[in-house]
Amino acid sequence: LPNHTAALDPACGDGAFLLPLLQKGFNEVWGVDLDVDLLNKCRQRCSDGRLILKHGNALKMLFELQGKFDAVVTNPPFSAKYGRVTDPLLLHSFELGRGRSSEAVEVLFLELCVRALRNDGILAIVLPEGVFANLPMRRVRVWICRHTAPLAVVSLSRNFFEAKSCVLIARKSPSTENDQVLLAHAETDDDLQTVAQDLLHGKGLRKPVFELLDNMAPLHHLNSLPQPCAFPLRPLGDFLTEMRCGSTLYGDQRKFAQSGIPFVSAKTVTPFGIDLKRDGRFVEEGSPMDKPQARTRIGDVLFVRVGVGCIGRVAVVTHEDETGVADDYIYILRLKPDLLPEFFAIYSQTRFFRQQLEKFKRGTGTVTVPQKALSQILVPVVPLPIQQKFVQAYRDLHDRFRQGQTPDNELHNLIAQLERLLEGLE
């Protein structure tokens, strides 16, 4: 920005963005928040006379804030946690809310931020990935491109926020169809430095804005794999004979037994294989909890399909005493002979697989991977003799795990070995 005049964070919290803006030399830095305690923390952390703090709902201050700022930087509330805005008068104040019975709070904050900018001002806003990826949000993406020139959309891993999020960086000026938008992914803070350099120097993957209206999520456009693979690639669906979801009951019908068929929950699926002792619950055979379609058998691959902390865990049922009834957090995969289950379990822990998985995760509060999306993940076509070496290593690690060991270093080395193989370095 040529003139650092005024900057705003309309959902400032404890001021995480305000202090850096002051350090950048803005003459005025405004922060707005509903939480008085957080605003008081801001005041305690910074006594700079350029800092202006206001208590209230910034959405109701639209006309006070409109057109006053050269930069707006914010991480607004998400509707997944705070709900949707339903106030008719408030909705009517916003173009994106007008005529609707409700609107996601982050969408209204997006419009507020754009309208708070002066012409050619810069916006940096954290938004749920769905704003950039979901079909019903296309109208929002069209609005963004009508009122701003997007400069970059940066996908953030869950190392940054619990909800899958992206950062939109845009200039307040109408975009043209051929404006180029940087699409990038940041796994850690260090990656953000690289993204910043790419943005400044014209590097990185860029696409014209007209190609992004249907989907602006970076991971949709970035290479499916982090780098070229030394083996041919095919969708996982080509290797499947069957994929089904586990099943269980809830409420009054959810009844466990002292013994019987082991209950296979997400916590029993570990990087080293199945560990039923982690749950220790049983289902009575023939009871309503005993779902035939949820029964597992030796050779099944169990994929945890839901949950921020455990989504994407994969393990193979290798022994009869590891079979049971899988709950509905788990997909049961049965593979064709040209993809060995244990090899796939190791591949699922490589960055080749994990980066693709990020692309297909859906939701904010409750994160999941749909079956259709999982079947699209690319898997290397590796000769069976090579796969067999990794199968034996997986089984050796699993046997040691069953004996009470946790051979983390050996597992990490095995994953690294497979990554080097896929890179063509071995």
Side-chain angles (χ1 to χ4, degrees):
L1 289 168
N3 299 307
H4 287 11
T5 305
L8 166 70
D9 181 348
C12 66
D14 62 359
F17 293 150
L18 301 181
L19 299 182
L21 289 169
L22 289 168
Q23 292 166 2
K24 289 294 181 182
F26 284 91
N27 297 332
E28 289 183 2
V29 174
W30 289 44
V32 182
D33 205 275
L34 273 170
D35 193 319
V36 174
D37 293 335
L38 290 177
L39 290 176
N40 288 334
K41 287 183 181 179
C42 277
R43 291 189 180 92
Q44 293 168 7
R45 292 173 61 189
C46 181
S47 58
D48 194 307
R50 296 172 296 157
L51 182 61
I52 299 170
L53 297 177
K54 290 185 173 286
H55 173 242
N57 181 351
L59 296 178
K60 296 181 178 180
M61 302 165 64
L62 171 63
F63 299 106
E64 178 184 350
L65 301 173
Q66 188 163 282
K68 287 188 175 181
F69 301 94
D70 302 286
V72 177
V73 182
T74 192
N75 176 19
F78 289 4
S79 55
K81 181 176 181 180
Y82 293 95
R84 296 172 66 87
V85 175
T86 57
D87 181 343
L89 292 177
L90 193 56
L91 289 168
H92 188 73
S93 302
F94 290 86
E95 184 180 344
L96 287 168
R98 207 164 295 146
R100 300 177 65 84
S101 60
S102 71
E103 184 54 88
V105 63
E106 62 268 19
V107 169
L108 298 188
F109 264 95
L110 167 65
E111 180 175 337
L112 167 71
C113 292
V114 173
R115 291 173 64 176
L117 287 167
R118 298 185 177 117
N119 289 337
D120 289 327
I122 295 293
L123 168 67
I125 182 171
V126 181
L127 293 168
E129 187 180 57
V131 171
F132 303 95
N134 293 350
L135 186 59
M137 285 291 181
R138 190 182 192 278
R139 64 184 181 86
V140 177
R141 297 190 287 277
V142 170
W143 189 92
I144 290 171
C145 296
R146 193 166 70 242
H147 293 275
T148 77
L151 303 175
V153 182
V154 184
S155 167
L156 302 177
S157 75
R158 287 188 171 80
N159 292 322
F160 293 91
F161 301 105
E162 181 175 307
K164 189 69 182 74
S165 309
C166 296
V167 178
L168 169 67
I169 302 171
R171 186 183 299 276
K172 187 175 182 180
S173 61
S175 60
T176 65
E177 283 192 347
N178 293 316
D179 283 349
Q180 298 291 306
V181 183
L182 172 66
L183 299 167
H185 175 73
E187 193 68 26
T188 65
D189 288 345
D190 291 340
D191 293 333
L192 290 177
Q193 299 298 323
T194 302
V195 171
Q197 292 301 310
D198 287 349
L199 182 58
L200 289 173
H201 300 295
K203 297 181 179 180
L205 175 67
R206 292 169 185 266
K207 294 218 169 192
V209 70
F210 75 90
E211 292 186 13
L212 301 176
L213 296 180
D214 287 336
N215 197 315
M216 201 177 278
L219 288 175
H220 178 79
H221 298 275
L222 291 166
N223 291 335
S224 293
L225 294 179
Q227 58 194 71
C229 183
F231 296 88
L233 297 165
R234 285 165 51 194
L236 175 60
D238 288 357
F239 296 97
L240 291 172
T241 62
E242 186 178 359
M243 174 163 50
R244 61 172 66 180
C245 190
S247 181
T248 190
L249 297 174
Y250 291 94
D252 294 340
Q253 293 181 299
R254 189 175 177 84
K255 296 178 180 178
F256 294 100
Q258 294 296 317
S259 61
I261 305 169
F263 183 66
V264 184
S265 64
K267 70 174 69 173
T268 69
V269 180
T270 84
F272 298 100
I274 304 297
D275 182 7
L276 295 178
K277 296 190 297 295
R278 293 193 171 202
D279 194 310
R281 290 180 291 180
F282 297 89
V283 170
E284 183 181 348
E285 186 171 1
S287 72
M289 287 281 287
D290 179 13
K291 302 288 188 179
Q293 72 273 23
R295 288 277 196 108
T296 65
R297 65 191 189 200
I298 292 177
D300 283 351
V301 175
L302 305 189
F303 177 94
V304 180
R305 67 172 186 87
V306 67
V308 172
C310 58
I311 190 170
R313 287 184 193 162
V314 176
V316 181
V317 180
T318 58
H319 294 72
E320 188 63 38
D321 61 7
E322 294 169 358
T323 61
V325 177
D327 75 5
D328 55 359
Y329 276 41
I330 293 173
Y331 291 144
I332 303 168
L333 281 58
R334 289 172 181 162
L335 305 178
K336 296 177 181 178
D338 48 351
L339 179 60
L340 302 180
E342 295 87 347
F343 175 82
F344 177 73
I346 300 169
Y347 172 66
S348 72
Q349 299 183 62
T350 67
R351 63 176 178 274
F352 289 85
F353 183 91
R354 306 303 298 184
Q355 184 177 18
Q356 294 185 81
L357 187 64
E358 284 296 319
K359 173 180 175 180
F360 291 116
K361 289 178 181 178
R362 298 290 182 265
T364 51
T366 301
V367 186
T368 188
V369 178
Q371 287 191 36
K372 183 178 179 181
L374 182 60
S375 68
Q376 295 172 9
I377 284 185
L378 296 177
V379 176
V381 182
V382 176
L384 285 174
I386 297 177
Q387 290 190 47
Q388 192 62 54
K389 294 178 181 179
F390 288 93
V391 169
Q392 189 57 53
Y394 179 91
R395 285 180 168 272
D396 289 345
L397 289 177
H398 182 52
D399 287 344
R400 291 170 58 190
F401 182 64
R402 283 167 60 91
Q403 294 167 12
Q405 301 178 41
T406 52
D408 291 301
N409 290 337
E410 292 91 333
L411 178 61
H412 293 156
N413 291 339
L414 187 62
I415 295 167
Q417 181 185 348
L418 179 52
E419 289 178 343
R420 290 194 299 271
L421 176 72
L422 298 180
E423 291 167 9
L425 301 178
E426 286 198 357

